[in-house]
Amino acid sequence: MPRSHASLPRLYVDFDLGEAMTATLSREHVVYLVTVLRRKEGDGVILFNGRDGAWACRLTDVSRKAVTVEAEARVADQTPPSYLWFGFAPLKVGRLDYLVQKATEMGAGIIQPVMTRFVQGGPPKPDKLFANIVEAAEQCEVLSVPRLESHVSLVDLVRDWTGFHGDRCLLFCDESALSGSPVGALQGLDPDRRVGVLIGPEGGFSDEERALLLAQPFVLPISLGPRILRADTAGVAALAVVQATIGDWR
């Protein structure tokens, strides 16, 4: 996105964007623009929907009850979707929000909660997770918004992996593995093969879960080094090394 537009608020919308487009924003966006930001008629805003790129729009009718926008020009083309799958065992509120936001910023294309034996609490609320995805996308100029998949048990994930993901390699961040750099293992993968990253809960994977994962031909266990990392830190570290070694940072 051109930095000349960095000062404008960015909003994720669910309607189509294009030339001569006019639309009425949601109540949530009205409150944010009018009450929080004090925007007025004629002010600019950047809209994106994950499909049509980013568009500079003008507020044409502003009140505390409704805001109408009109598209002026596309300021960024739509970026291609990321095929990087990111699975994580849900964490406590706050750290869970952080993890989902960082996964969005780091280029995950598919985000999915995975329920394990030592997971903290029950399945997270999808609306809350998606709100965090959108917030990160808005703040960091992410145009390809990650797809949020419904939570799944680790057993079901492993059982159905090939059916849903084909030959995608599942990178299992194994805290019980011998310490070492994951770079060599990642560089040995087919550069055209899609990958997924799986992060466990704070209590780690159970012995049975670890054995289940290590028995799968599509699983590649990797170490994240000599230190024990908190789950949210491990997620960011794993995504960073994957993106730098075999991902879209190259």
Side-chain angles (χ1 to χ4, degrees), residues 52-132:
D52 302 318
W55 287 77
C57 300
R58 192 68 52 189
L59 308 186
T60 57
D61 188 11
V62 178
S63 72
R64 290 187 177 274
K65 294 184 178 180
V67 171
T68 302
V69 294
E70 181 177 305
E72 293 190 325
R74 178 155 49 195
V75 295
D77 292 334
Q78 180 62 41
T79 54
S82 167
Y83 296 106
L84 176 59
W85 179 91
F86 179 67
F88 64 94
L91 307 172
K92 293 180 181 178
V93 175
R95 292 174 54 213
L96 174 61
D97 297 345
Y98 170 89
L99 181 60
V100 172
Q101 291 169 4
K102 298 311 165 189
T104 301
E105 295 174 32
M106 300 290 283
I110 308 166
I111 295 176
Q112 185 168 27
V114 179
M115 307 304 292
T116 65
R117 178 178 176 184
F118 298 131
V119 71
Q120 299 177 4
K125 296 180 179 178
D127 291 348
K128 181 72 180 301
L129 290 183
F130 191 68
N132 278 288

Side-chain angles (χ1 to χ4, degrees), residues 15-17 20-25 47 58 60 67-71:
F15 50 78
D16 292 338
L17 298 169
M21 181 277 306
T22 60
T24 301
L25 296 180
L47 301 184
R58 192 68 52 189
T60 57
V67 171
T68 302
V69 294
E70 181 177 305

Side-chain angles (χ1 to χ4, degrees), residues 148-204:
L148 176 63
E149 294 286 357
S150 300
H151 71 272
V152 63
S153 72
L154 179 64
V155 172
D156 288 345
L157 177 76
V158 170
R159 182 195 64 202
D160 300 331
W161 182 263
T162 302
F164 281 108
H165 297 280
D167 70 343
R168 185 193 301 270
C169 179
L170 178 58
L171 304 174
F172 160 42
C173 298
D174 184 3
E175 73 275 6
S176 297
L178 292 176
S179 174
S181 170
V183 172
L186 295 176
Q187 289 177 333
L189 290 173
D190 182 340
D192 295 324
R193 188 179 183 187
R194 295 180 182 180
V195 299
V197 175
L198 177 62
I199 299 293
E202 285 300 326

